[in-house]
Amino acid sequence: MRKQIAIADADLDKLLAENLFAQVRKSLQNDFDFLVSRNLLQRLTRVTGRSKNYRRVDTIPAISCQTENPNTDSNLTPKTQAYLAATLGMFSFLDPSLPLLADQFSEEVVDEDNHRVFLYVDYLVPESSPMQDAVDQFQSELQEMWDSQNIGPLLLTYRSAHQNQIKECVVYPVCIYFMDRAKYLCAYGSTPRGEINWYKYRLDRIISKRLESLDWQDSRVPQLLKEKYQENNLPTPKTVNNMLKEAWGCDFYKETALMVLRFDRTFHQSYMQGISIHHTCTAIDIDRAATLITQYTPNPEHRSALLQILQSRPTDDAYYQVTYRETDYYPLRWLRALGSEVEILLPWDLRQKMAVEIQKTRNLYQ
């Protein structure tokens, strides 16, 4: 080390006295990746499973040529580079490669006494856990495949909470979304329900030991997926983004329906006015709400009951219409959290479902 850089004996002794592996798993993994990027360590590629193995390089490059990063903008001040690095570091849960990218801007440790903007994320996967190792490794393998542009069908072993079963699915991987406290692989192919459709697979529930790529001619690849490949019509991330914009909810592949909501006037003025629930959410007046109830409630008894309920509500309350994904848990959880401050006026079935759940909850506290 003394041959490569100028360092005082006291500083070198201090470094050598530190416990090399006394840090969390993610920091250690980032250090290894950083050494690989500087050609100071070599990663072994022919490794089964999700393990990452490394070996020493035969020749250590001169450290002097590593001191400046040609990829960083020389117009950025050291303070700005440190701020960018810290900001990227806050998103490390989203992409395991971000800490390495942050090091390319600045290697300074985040000063929590002076850094003023932070991000709190409710993420289901525990930090520095075997589960996080598996999720990060799976995501890294997907990213490598996407970067190579050689994207083919994959065989996944998936533990489905809805089906309470372990299923094998052959899918075409499109993108990863962080939504509803977890990371999901958005993919098209065979689903845990046995359909050929879109599905979002929670990364921590994929229990495959490794990514298994399949040839397009493999008999396990669904015919509908093969046809999309042959027609050069495979889905892209833009396809997913457009579907998410079409309706409120995370399950972008489910059927859409219209919802009419009523908010208490005082609550709306204090907490809801001016915020965005979804692109399709628009304010309406009470007359428009009555028109929508009449138009979208085919059952005469249900329609009459809803119109009577609407007539009894204050005309100066806030009314909204929004397109949502049917049976999607995300909008329902959001509405439950508001309690009595919001009322579902349409559709009838969703209103009744909410009433039953509220009654069940009430019964627990009697």
Side-chain angles (χ1 to χ4, degrees):
M1 184 178 290
R2 288 194 182 94
K3 293 180 181 179
Q4 300 285 350
I5 59 175
I7 184 171
D9 289 344
D11 292 334
L12 180 59
D13 291 340
K14 184 178 179 181
L15 288 173
L16 294 176
E18 293 182 0
N19 293 325
L20 180 60
F21 299 108
Q23 51 185 319
V24 297
R25 180 212 59 82
K26 181 174 283 189
S27 298
L28 186 61
Q29 181 63 65
N30 292 336
D31 288 344
F32 276 113
D33 291 339
F34 179 76
L35 291 174
V36 171
S37 71
R38 297 298 179 92
N39 298 317
L40 296 169
L41 196 65
Q42 181 181 355
R43 181 181 170 186
L44 301 179
T45 56
R46 295 182 179 180
V47 179
T48 59
R50 293 184 175 178
S51 301
K52 287 186 177 181
N53 292 351
Y54 303 85
R55 66 179 295 273
R56 293 182 299 176
V57 295
D58 296 328
T59 304
I60 297 179
I63 295 180
S64 58
C65 67
Q66 307 281 338
T67 55
E68 293 186 2
N69 188 346
N71 296 323
T72 57
D73 191 340
S74 58
N75 294 326
L76 298 178
T77 65
K79 183 178 180 180
T80 302
Q81 292 180 17
Y83 179 82
L84 287 173
T87 303
L88 285 172
M90 286 192 290
F91 289 91
S92 61
F93 72 94
L94 187 63
D95 188 335
S97 67
L98 286 181
L100 184 60
L101 180 60
D103 287 338
Q104 295 181 13
F105 282 98
S106 174
E107 298 177 20
E108 293 186 20
V109 178
V110 177
D111 183 0
E112 294 188 2
D113 289 329
N114 294 306
H115 194 86
R116 304 293 180 176
V117 180
F118 295 92
L119 176 70
Y120 171 79
V121 176
D122 192 4
Y123 185 27
L124 294 177
V125 176
E127 188 175 4
S128 301
S129 65
M131 182 185 295
Q132 187 186 46
D133 288 345
V135 168
D136 287 354
Q137 179 62 23
F138 195 86
Q139 183 173 347
S140 297
E141 292 177 15
L142 282 167
Q143 191 61 59
E144 289 176 7
M145 182 184 62
W146 287 326
D147 291 342
S148 72
Q149 298 299 313
N150 184 24
I151 310 171
L154 299 177
L155 177 64
L156 304 178
T157 304
Y158 189 70
R159 179 171 55 84
S160 172
H162 292 298
Q163 304 296 316
N164 194 26
Q165 290 180 337
I166 294 176
K167 297 280 189 175
E168 282 196 340
C169 304
V170 177
V171 302
Y172 179 77
V174 177
C175 61
I176 290 175
Y177 247 99
F178 180 86
M179 54 176 71
D180 202 18
R181 302 179 297 160
K183 285 192 281 191
Y184 292 86
L185 170 65
C186 302
Y188 182 87
S190 57
T191 72
R193 295 187 178 95
E195 306 166 339
I196 306 301
N197 201 350
W198 283 97
Y199 199 81
K200 62 184 204 323
Y201 299 84
R202 227 173 83 177
L203 292 190
D204 58 291
R205 288 181 177 164
I206 297 176
I207 59 176
S208 308
K209 296 299 181 183
R210 61 184 178 87
L211 269 177
E212 184 174 351
S213 299
L214 301 179
D215 186 83
W216 281 106
Q217 306 307 317
D218 195 299
S219 59
R220 291 171 291 182
V221 178
Q223 183 60 33
L224 285 175
L225 185 55
K226 285 183 179 179
E227 290 175 3
K228 286 184 177 292
Y229 169 71
Q230 292 164 356
E231 296 168 0
N232 196 26
N233 191 32
L234 289 168
T236 67
K238 185 177 180 180
T239 310
V240 176
N241 291 329
N242 288 340
M243 294 171 74
L244 283 167
K245 291 176 183 177
E246 289 174 0
W248 183 29
C250 297
D251 295 339
F252 57 91
Y253 41 86
K254 290 185 174 180
E255 295 295 324
T256 63
L258 183 71
M259 184 188 300
V260 174
L261 300 172
R262 181 191 67 84
F263 293 95
D264 173 77
R265 178 177 57 85
T266 303
F267 176 81
H268 176 265
Q269 289 176 347
S270 300
Y271 299 102
M272 298 299 301
Q273 194 167 16
I275 73 167
S276 175
I277 298 175
H278 187 263
H279 305 287
T280 63
C281 186
T282 55
I284 58 176
D285 57 29
I286 194 169
D287 292 334
R288 176 61 178 166
T291 301
L292 292 174
I293 289 173
T294 302
Q295 183 179 353
Y296 288 91
T297 312
N299 185 296
E301 293 182 5
H302 297 168
R303 182 169 61 244
S304 177
L306 288 176
L307 290 174
Q308 286 183 17
I309 291 170
L310 181 64
Q311 231 175 11
S312 68
R313 300 298 186 251
T315 58
D316 58 352
D317 275 354
Y319 296 86
Y320 283 83
Q321 69 175 67
V322 60
T323 304
Y324 78 106
R325 298 286 177 182
E326 291 184 309
T327 70
D328 190 315
Y329 287 106
Y330 179 77
L332 294 182
R333 277 197 290 263
W334 191 88
L335 292 170
R336 288 194 200 105
L338 296 183
S340 61
E341 307 294 352
V342 63
E343 178 184 13
I344 299 173
L345 294 170
L346 187 74
W348 171 271
D349 290 343
L350 183 61
R351 177 185 174 88
Q352 296 306 111
K353 179 180 179 180
M354 184 69 77
V356 170
E357 291 186 1
I358 291 172
Q359 184 60 51
K360 287 181 178 179
T361 303
R362 182 175 182 273
N363 292 339
L364 294 175
Y365 294 93
Q366 286 184 328

